[in-house]
């Protein structure tokens, strides 16, 4: 009997230690101290990060894309994620967030209440955003309309329905270092900032391991099955389009065969087309430089 | 009646399937799906002329541009209602990438088809006016193709 009590106590201690070690991380406001928000640059960050593509109502267009009402579904092997309302409603959205709350969400996947966010919010990529990017993004998003639609709960299977499990995921996979390294020129650095950071391209175009972590090295951006079921996301290493053809695709949506972008990629193209042409060229240069070492 | 009329206006435009990389050979497809794909190939063939000029891969030629743009305008005004029969969606026919949602949102599909016909008509009106005019008309044309692919075509 005594050994059983000891065992249970030990299990509780180990469990508590594990939870403590993987508790949601945060930074204090000092990481953003002294930065002046620039709304115009914030809009560029907003577009490059594709916020609206997931957080607008399904099928929204034009000005409607700026109403971040949430509600789109994202099926995965772990269950279905529902994008939350991130409009400026203080009740239904994030209207009461300070810039540091946005920093902690995008860098640590931690809510203002100190809970883990699921990595369906691609903080595994956004972790590479600079403090200035986050301050500017926050300033811009606070100019967007409020919407009172309540966020819906995710529909996940056990044990992924336990938010604490995200702590273990972060301990295993959340890294802030760059994937493409070496002696990169300014254009490749900008391309890397968009592809690996803001644009979170790898979220769809890189295969994942059994626990949902992105593979790196020679697997980076080599394509992956669509978690929604049918179809696959293309392998960007094998893709033999020229940089000029890539820029054309990012601008008009036309492939070299004059097919056109479809599905979620059509939304990505709308975002890329709204960025300066130098940014589209930088992304093309990064893709042409694949594979990573 | 209104529906039939709208269909005539250019359901042809509801460009929904791949023009390449189809695992199933076209001869195995239901004739309606095969016909849709053929129409998409004709779009792509004519767009390649205009796009090649826009990207300055081939020299601008007003006559060739006009001919290609005229073909797009005609293609986008075909009555394609018989090609988009129910039961030919991606969930039912291997080799189709048309999402079932297309048949649940026919009003929206027709709106998008009409928009493509308008973009193609605009291209046809300006294609002979010089390279800059052609380039300017290319963006709306791409957006019109993409509008339907975004909503109603399954990713590869």
């Amino acid at each position: 009997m005594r050994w059983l009590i000891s065992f249970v106590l030990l299990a509780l201690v180990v469990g508590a230690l594990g939870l403590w070690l993987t508790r949601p991380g945060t930074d204090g406001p000092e990481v953003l101290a002294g930065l002046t928000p620039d709304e115009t640059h914030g809009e560029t960050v907003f577009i490059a990060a594709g916020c609206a593509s997931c957080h607008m109502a399904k099928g929204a267009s034009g000005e409607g894309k700026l109403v971040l009402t949430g509600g789109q579904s994202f099926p995965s092997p772990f269950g279905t994620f529902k994008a939350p309302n991130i409009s400026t409603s203080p009740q239904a959205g994030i209207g009461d967030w300070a810039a540091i709350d946005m920093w902690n969400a995008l860098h640590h996947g931690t809510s203002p209440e100190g809970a883990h966010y699921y990595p369906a919010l691609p903080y595994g990529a956004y972790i590479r955003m600079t403090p200035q990017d986050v301050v500017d993004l926050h300033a811009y998003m606070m100019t967007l309309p409020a919407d009172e639609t309540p966020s819906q709960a995710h529909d996940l299977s056990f044990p992924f329905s336990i938010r604490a499990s995200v702590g273990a995921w972060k301990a295993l996979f959340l890294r802030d270092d760059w994937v493409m390294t070496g002696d990169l020129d300014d254009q490749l650095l900008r391309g890397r900032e968009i592809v690996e950071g803001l644009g979170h391209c790898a979220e769809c175009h890189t295969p994942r391991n059994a626990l949902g972590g992105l593979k790196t090295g020679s697997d980076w951006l080599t394509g992956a099955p669509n978690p929604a079921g049918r179809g696959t996301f293309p392998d960007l290493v094998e893709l033999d389009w020229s940089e000029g053809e890539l820029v054309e695709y990012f601008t008009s949506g036309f492939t070299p065969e004059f097919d056109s972008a479809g599905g979620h990629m059509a939304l990505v193209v709308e975002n890329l087309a709204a960025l300066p042409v130098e940014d589209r060229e930088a992304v093309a240069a990064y893709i042409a430089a694949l594979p990573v070492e | 009646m209104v529906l039939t009329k709208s269909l005539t206006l250019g359901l042809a435009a509801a460009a929904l399937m791949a023009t390449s990389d189809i695992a199933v050979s076209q001869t195995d497809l239901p004739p309606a799906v095969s016909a849709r794909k053929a129409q998409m190939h004709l779009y792509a063939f004519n767009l390649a002329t205009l796009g090649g000029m826009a990207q300055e891969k081939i020299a601008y030629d007003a006559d060739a541009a006009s001919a290609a743009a005229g073909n797009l305008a005609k293609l986008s005004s075909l009555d394609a209602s018989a090609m988009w029969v129910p039961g030919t969606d991606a969930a039912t026919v291997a080799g189709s990438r048309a999402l079932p949602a297309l048949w649940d949102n026919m009003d929206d599909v027709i709106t998008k088809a009409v928009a493509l016909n308008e973009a193609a008509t605009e291209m046809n009106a300006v294609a002979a006016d010089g390279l800059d005019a052609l380039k300017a008309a290319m963006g709306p044309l791409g957006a019109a193709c993409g509008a339907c692919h975004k909503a109603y075509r399954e990713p590869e």
Side-chain angles (χ1 to χ4, degrees):
Chain A
M1 196 60 198
R2 179 170 288 179
W3 68 268
L4 184 62
I5 293 168
S6 304
F7 178 80
V8 169
L9 280 175
L10 181 68
L12 283 173
V13 168
V14 168
L17 188 67
L19 282 176
W20 187 80
L21 284 173
T22 62
R23 70 196 183 284
T26 53
D27 290 314
E30 65 279 358
V31 294
L32 304 181
L35 298 173
T36 309
D38 174 352
E39 276 175 30
T40 307
H41 180 247
E43 182 180 15
T44 304
V45 172
F46 179 81
I47 293 167
C51 309
S53 301
C54 290
H55 288 279
M56 67 187 189
K58 186 175 169 63
S61 61
E63 290 290 304
K65 290 166 75 174
L66 299 178
V67 185
L68 305 175
T69 172
Q72 289 190 51
S73 291
F74 298 88
S76 81
F78 313 107
T80 297
F81 295 97
K82 300 276 191 178
N85 182 328
I86 58 164
S87 77
T88 45
S89 161
Q91 293 79 35
I94 62 168
D96 59 347
W97 280 25
I100 190 63
D101 295 322
M102 194 169 281
W103 170 270
N104 282 320
L106 300 180
H107 264 248
H108 298 289
T110 301
S111 76
E113 294 76 32
H116 288 298
Y117 284 126
Y118 287 100
L121 170 66
Y123 49 80
Y126 294 157
I127 194 171
R128 301 184 179 94
M129 289 169 72
T130 64
Q132 186 69 55
D133 282 345
V134 174
V135 165
D136 296 349
L137 176 64
H138 177 262
Y140 172 71
M141 287 181 70
M142 288 302 135
T143 69
L144 299 179
D147 179 274
E148 304 301 330
T149 310
S151 295
Q152 300 169 40
H154 302 312
D155 181 15
L156 305 177
S157 53
F158 185 82
F160 311 107
S161 51
I162 310 291
R163 274 191 190 261
S165 64
V166 176
W169 188 92
K170 289 179 183 174
L172 290 169
F173 305 122
L174 187 58
R175 300 282 179 275
D176 64 359
D177 51 350
W178 298 101
V179 179
M180 182 181 282
T181 54
D183 190 16
L184 309 183
D185 64 19
D186 284 352
Q187 189 182 49
L188 275 179
L189 289 173
R190 178 59 179 160
R192 186 176 72 171
E193 202 175 358
I194 298 174
V195 172
E196 296 187 18
L198 298 171
H200 58 280
C201 307
E203 297 291 321
C204 289
H205 288 282
T206 294
R208 293 173 185 274
N209 60 33
L211 293 174
L214 293 174
K215 297 178 177 178
T216 54
S218 58
D219 289 318
W220 184 246
L221 294 174
T222 54
N226 181 352
R230 300 158 57 105
T232 56
F233 298 114
D235 180 336
L236 305 184
V237 175
E238 288 252 301
L239 193 73
D240 59 355
W241 298 0
S242 70
E243 286 183 47
E245 288 170 338
L246 286 166
V247 173
E248 179 60 32
Y249 181 66
F250 299 152
T251 308
S252 67
F254 282 127
T255 71
E257 295 81 33
F258 288 90
D259 190 357
S260 79
H264 197 84
M265 192 63 202
L267 298 170
V268 177
V269 167
E270 286 173 15
N271 292 331
L272 288 168
L275 292 176
V277 66
E278 293 78 18
D279 281 349
R280 295 195 286 278
E281 289 167 354
V283 173
Y286 178 101
I287 291 168
L290 292 171
V292 296
E293 294 298 312
Chain B
M1 265 337 273
V2 176
L3 182 68
T4 318
K5 214 168 187 181
S6 307
L7 283 169
T8 314
L9 265 174
L11 185 51
L16 287 196
M17 55 285 161
T19 52
S20 60
D21 298 329
I22 297 298
V24 180
S25 88
Q26 298 211 4
T27 51
D28 297 335
L29 293 168
V33 179
S34 193
R36 274 155 28 194
K37 288 179 187 291
Q39 188 184 5
M40 296 303 155
H41 281 299
L42 287 172
Y43 277 126
F45 181 77
N46 287 286
L47 281 164
T49 301
L50 297 168
M53 291 180 194
Q55 293 171 41
E56 301 186 30
K57 283 180 179 172
I58 52 177
Y60 175 73
D61 173 333
D63 290 339
S66 241
N71 286 345
L72 291 178
K74 290 178 196 114
L75 281 168
S76 63
S77 60
L78 294 183
D79 181 338
S81 49
M83 297 184 202
W84 296 95
V85 285
T88 56
D89 55 86
T92 312
V93 175
S96 168
R97 285 169 64 200
L99 292 172
L102 183 147
W103 284 269
D104 300 333
N105 297 282
M106 212 32 104
D107 286 351
D108 182 54
V109 172
I110 290 165
T111 303
K112 289 176 162 60
V114 170
L116 175 65
N117 181 243
E118 286 168 359
T121 303
E122 172 62 17
M123 174 61 92
N124 192 29
V126 303
D129 295 350
L131 185 55
D132 286 344
L134 184 155
K135 281 182 178 174
M138 206 62 194
L141 199 50
C145 295
C148 226
H149 290 157
K150 181 170 68 177
Y152 302 116
R153 184 171 66 168
E154 189 173 71
E156 282 184 71

